[in-house]
Amino acid sequence: MSSKFKDLIFYEIYPTSFYDSNGDGIGDLNGINEKLDYVKELGCNAIWLNPFYSSPFKDGGYDVKDFFKVDEKFGTNEDFKNLATKAHKLGIKVIVDLVIGHSSEENEEFLKSASPYRNENSDLFIWTDSVWSFEPNIRLLNGRFPRDGAYMVNFFAMQPAFNYGFNKITNPNWQMSYKDERTFKARNYMLKVMKFWLDLGCDGFRVDMADYLVKNDDTKEGTIEVWKYLFSKIRKDYPDAYFVSEWSSPDKALLAGFDADFVLDHNNNFINLLGRNQEKMIVKGNSREQFIKDLLWRQENANKYNGVLAPISGNHDSRRVATSLNEKELQLVYMILLSLPGNPFIYYGDEIGMVQSELISKDGGYQRTGARTPMQWDDSPNAGFSSTKNELYLPVFKGNKNNLKDEMNDPSSIYHFIKKLIRIRKENDDLRSSYLDVKDENDILTIIRGQTKLIINFSKKDLSLEGKEIIFTNSKGNILKPFEAALVK
Ligand code: NOJ
Ligand code: CA
């Protein structure tokens, strides 16, 4: 990875819910633009924007209708350009979501592919050779379009899969090898999409379902080969573009050429794998031992392939991390997150301790919508998110006690806690290096980063830190009570 990206701390923004600049009740790109100073003040130097492309929003915008156009509700392509320009002036990198595996069923390229007459797009998506085809273990949808075939579903039903080919072929009548040149059309189409947004000013991509390009590809060798091809092309013109993968297998993603790979657990944030205490694990079956083994294995691969890990506080798919943790536990989460090597990601609102809203569903979010409610800026109507007098597109969650204004006024808030940790990370060479070791002795967990150590007391007894230089702690003085931790030298 380019050294330019080594020290990035990301802030993830779900465009619908960050800030509404024009009072129509929906967040937008100009709203994000207006709040970039805030992102900078927090200490983040990069943002990841969830999809803002033209879409019917049956999956939060991950169902793209037009890959080259900002959706009207978020603004215009010009607004994106302005946002990138402003971000760069503030020293903030901008990455956008690359939804590489599927489009919306309303996408023009797909509709052309769905035509009964053969045309240049016929092989751009995966279709069977007959509308009556059935194939075990492959999700096919038939009877929706005039073409005599069924299309392969990539995620939700309305998300047809682009055709990057197959590794193991079970039906040669319609499955093509990923080495078959006909499948290169999808690769080249996505290269066009990447170039388009890079030219408009983005610095890279978070790649959606990056591990699932080639189908029937258990070993992932096909998908890895496709990525190597894509990187060989795109890095020629954009050597510094940053790519982080939704793959969660650094041994494959970083080998394929990604700069970073998320560390995440789809049941909950990976942070929760630590468990809240010995007896009552948040995620059953995940012991601290496994967590440590997994983390060290990931870091080993990151070092091996010259990439980094991207640990997250949460994201638009996971349950808000603050929801089920007490104050001390939440502090531990951020002490760990910001002490790990790589590029940490903070999900908007997590820095003020926003919690999961009750069950609502919008834009195909289902239970995930609970983590996508509007950012709570202050205590004014609509939490300062929008000036509209009408109903908001997505309601503010009243169960959230926290808002940024109060958090800023309270020196003991989680907001100030995180902000301080970010500052420390930026100034500490150990924390920004790639060195990681972890020790777990007598329920004292130590995350070792060169000369700097994060000591966490998971035992039931007090732990004295006498003689150690304390850089940061959530304890009072140099005694760590249970669930307290300290960064020391
Ligand atoms: C992962 C995204 O994070 C999620 O929100 C989306 O529904 C699926 N991929 C499908 O694109
Ligand atoms: Ca708006």
Side-chain angles (χ1 to χ4, degrees):
M1 98 177 319
S2 157
S3 60
K4 270 199 196 162
F5 295 114
K6 199 179 128 260
D7 297 332
L8 295 186
I9 302 176
F10 281 86
Y11 188 79
E12 178 193 345
I13 297 177
Y14 189 70
T16 299
S17 296
F18 198 52
Y19 186 62
D20 172 20
S21 71
N22 61 354
D24 64 356
I26 314 175
D28 44 60
L29 294 187
N30 286 338
I32 298 170
N33 188 325
E34 281 181 44
K35 296 293 186 183
L36 286 172
D37 292 301
Y38 164 68
V39 173
K40 183 173 173 131
E41 195 189 325
L42 177 63
C44 292
N45 49 14
I47 55 174
W48 156 27
L49 304 178
N50 289 115
F52 46 74
Y53 316 108
S54 155
S55 166
F57 289 91
K58 291 181 181 167
D59 180 15
Y62 284 92
D63 47 330
V64 181
K65 181 171 175 179
D66 186 339
F67 282 91
F68 302 96
K69 192 171 171 285
V70 168
D71 193 89
E72 278 166 16
K73 69 183 185 188
F74 296 138
T76 63
N77 286 14
E78 199 58 28
D79 295 341
F80 176 78
K81 216 166 151 178
N82 294 336
L83 164 58
T85 307
K86 164 95 174 283
H88 293 154
K89 265 195 205 126
L90 294 172
I92 296 173
K93 307 266 187 209
V94 180
I95 68 166
V96 302
D97 235 295
L98 183 68
V99 190
I100 194 162
H102 48 264
S103 73
S104 150
E105 60 189 347
E106 294 180 26
N107 180 282
E108 290 293 330
E109 307 288 350
F110 172 70
L111 291 172
K112 202 165 159 192
S113 188
S115 151
Y117 306 107
R118 260 209 84 76
N119 63 63
E120 55 179 18
N121 275 10
S122 295
D123 297 328
L124 184 59
F125 292 82
I126 299 177
W127 290 91
T128 64
D129 57 339
S130 148
V131 75
W132 311 114
S133 300
F134 173 77
E135 192 69 21
N137 304 324
I138 296 182
R139 287 160 69 208
L140 299 171
L141 205 63
N142 62 359
R144 313 235 9 242
F145 294 94
R147 177 167 171 165
D148 184 12
Y151 70 77
M152 182 170 172
V153 170
N154 212 43
F155 192 70
F156 285 133
M158 70 297 167
Q159 291 164 325
F162 276 104
N163 181 18
Y164 297 96
F166 285 72
N167 189 351
K168 202 175 103 219
I169 292 184
T170 50
N171 190 334
N173 291 340
W174 54 271
Q175 297 171 2
M176 299 166 200
S177 157
Y178 67 89
K179 295 182 194 286
D180 187 321
E181 297 247 330
R182 288 174 294 173
T183 68
F184 283 38
K185 188 158 174 111
R187 301 184 186 188
N188 292 330
Y189 184 73
M190 276 301 150
L191 283 169
K192 237 172 67 186
V193 173
M194 293 178 209
K195 284 184 182 145
F196 183 83
W197 293 102
L198 287 165
D199 287 343
L200 270 189
C202 88
D203 300 287
F205 302 92
R206 174 271 187 183
V207 181
D208 187 66
M209 295 172 70
D211 62 323
Y212 192 54
L213 301 187
V214 174
K215 309 310 186 210
N216 284 353
D217 187 27
D218 291 350
T219 59
K220 300 292 170 195
E221 69 183 315
T223 298
I224 290 170
E225 188 174 313
V226 173
W227 274 114
K228 285 189 170 163
Y229 171 91
L230 293 171
F231 285 130
S232 76
K233 297 283 172 198
I234 200 74
R235 297 218 195 273
K236 238 190 250 155
D237 296 329
Y238 305 87
D240 284 332
Y242 172 93
F243 287 79
V244 56
S245 47
E246 188 193 26
W247 196 317
S248 203
S249 233
D251 55 326
K252 302 195 171 77
L254 303 179
L255 162 73
F258 277 91
D259 298 292
D261 184 45
F262 285 123
V263 180
L264 47 72
D265 165 27
H266 283 284
N267 299 318
N268 239 312
N269 305 303
F270 95 101
I271 295 292
N272 287 354
L273 292 176
L274 277 178
R276 44 172 11 141
N277 61 42
Q278 305 309 109
E279 295 87 42
K280 197 169 145 213
M281 303 292 294
I282 289 173
V283 178
K284 296 264 180 320
N286 283 302
S287 68
R288 226 161 46 219
E289 202 182 315
Q290 265 171 291
F291 168 81
I292 294 167
K293 245 171 78 185
D294 178 76
L295 189 62
L296 289 173
W297 172 78
R298 287 175 193 275
Q299 186 56 36
E300 207 178 287
N301 279 290
N303 291 345
K304 183 162 158 197
Y305 299 115
N306 197 25
V308 302
L309 302 182
I312 62 170
S313 71
N315 68 21
H316 61 289
D317 294 329
S318 59
R319 198 174 154 75
R320 288 254 185 211
V321 66
T323 313
S324 44
L325 302 182
N326 65 33
E327 192 186 355
K328 276 266 149 69
E329 292 166 337
L330 194 60
Q331 289 171 345
L332 292 189
V333 163
Y334 288 100
M335 291 183 85
I336 297 166
L337 180 77
L338 291 160
S339 298
L340 291 177
N343 296 150
F345 279 64
I346 296 172
Y347 184 48
Y348 85 95
D350 278 358
E351 78 278 23
I352 58 167
M354 275 173 65
V355 297
Q356 191 80 4
S357 99
E358 72 265 300
L359 199 62
I360 42 168
S361 182
K362 187 86 186 178
D363 290 346
Y366 305 99
Q367 95 289 352
R368 303 172 300 176
T369 309
R372 301 175 181 181
T373 57
M375 174 70 179
Q376 308 204 180
W377 297 99
D378 57 39
D379 52 7
S380 68
N382 297 333
F385 160 74
S386 170
S387 63
T388 185
K389 300 266 181 292
N390 302 324
E391 218 172 287
L392 291 178
Y393 184 74
L394 192 56
V396 167
F397 178 44
K398 298 277 190 301
N400 263 314
K401 318 173 284 304
N402 301 5
N403 68 64
L404 178 69
K405 191 174 138 218
D406 292 347
E407 290 276 307
M408 281 183 161
N409 289 334
D410 173 6
S412 70
S413 67
I414 192 72
Y415 165 78
H416 283 294
F417 192 87
I418 293 171
K419 192 171 162 188
K420 206 160 162 198
L421 274 168
I422 292 176
R423 213 186 60 221
I424 288 168
R425 181 185 179 90
K426 284 185 162 167
E427 290 164 357
N428 181 310
D429 289 338
D430 287 334
L431 293 181
R432 287 163 32 247
S433 78
S434 63
Y435 182 82
L436 172 71
D437 199 6
V438 185
K439 292 248 146 40
D440 191 10
E441 280 161 8
N442 306 321
D443 292 327
I444 309 299
L445 182 72
T446 311
I447 295 179
I448 304 161
R449 305 296 316 284
Q451 297 302 307
T452 304
K453 296 186 175 89
L454 175 67
I455 301 176
I456 308 170
N457 186 4
F458 281 118
S459 80
K460 296 193 175 77
K461 290 182 259 162
D462 289 359
L463 177 72
S464 165
L465 294 178
E466 225 181 86
K468 297 202 164 72
E469 180 197 334
I470 298 179
I471 306 169
F472 184 82
T473 178
N474 66 343
S475 74
K476 302 207 169 61
N478 61 0
I479 305 276
L480 293 186
K481 292 200 161 52
F483 279 84
E484 290 184 339
L487 266 172
V488 302
K489 273 226 183 210

